[in-house]
Amino acid sequence: MDAEPDLREPTTARRTELEMQAEKLIRQLQEVRDELEELTVAERVARRLAEQLHVVTEQETTPPGGDRQVAGRAVLLVPRRERDTDETVLAEDYQRTIDVMRGADTPIMVKQVCGELGMSIEPARAKALRAKLNRPADRGWLR
């Protein structure tokens, strides 16, 4: 009598092959998911850095006191004066103020600076400008 062929052997081999392929695909899928998660984190970090850069370059939103907050840390709007630096590193309003003061032949009063800059000379404005002038003076821009 003829021996009947064993039909289970080819299906078992195919099942093993498919299970190995499924495991490989599961590993690849996990790698893709991990990379997607890393990209999401990188996008968040890039967005935060862009927002912080926007805050640093935005001159109009300067809070009273002259320093800005970037990532929870104070950043000087008036840097310390270094050798071989000129006023171009300062904000435009500080440059104008320093130009007015340098153009004076004699010691100048804060009210006079207010007038030259076209500002009101009322005491509150003069006091605010005096406080503002302390920053460049403290950092070596004025004497």
Side-chain angles (χ1 to χ4, degrees), residues 2-104:
D2 291 319
E4 289 186 29
D6 188 4
L7 298 176
R8 292 177 292 167
E9 194 173 304
T11 57
T12 303
R14 180 66 177 150
R15 176 178 298 280
T16 303
E17 182 182 323
L18 289 174
E19 285 174 351
M20 289 174 40
Q21 188 176 7
E23 286 177 22
K24 181 179 176 184
L25 289 172
I26 289 170
R27 282 193 307 273
Q28 287 177 335
L29 179 61
Q30 187 58 48
E31 289 172 5
V32 168
R33 285 183 175 153
D34 290 346
E35 189 172 348
L36 281 172
E37 187 176 329
E38 289 174 4
L39 285 173
T40 301
V41 170
E43 287 170 344
R44 269 191 237 134
V45 169
R47 193 175 320 113
R48 285 182 188 149
L49 289 173
E51 289 169 358
Q52 290 172 1
L53 180 61
H54 179 73
V55 167
V56 169
T57 58
E58 200 175 81
Q59 293 286 330
E60 297 81 35
T61 60
T62 305
D67 295 341
R68 291 198 195 157
Q69 293 289 317
V70 176
R73 297 176 60 187
V75 177
L76 291 176
L77 287 178
V78 179
R80 298 201 186 286
R81 187 170 190 180
E82 301 290 329
R83 179 178 272 176
D84 300 326
T85 57
D86 60 10
E87 289 86 13
T88 57
V89 299
L90 298 174
E92 189 176 315
D93 56 334
Y94 282 109
Q95 291 179 36
R96 286 192 345 245
T97 305
I98 289 174
D99 286 343
V100 167
M101 295 182 76
R102 286 214 172 112

Side-chain angles (χ1 to χ4, degrees), residues 96 100-101 108 110-119 121:
R96 286 192 345 245
V100 167
M101 295 182 76
I108 190 167
V110 173
K111 287 183 180 184
Q112 292 171 301
V113 176
C114 285
E116 290 288 325
L117 293 174
M119 297 169 55
I121 59 169

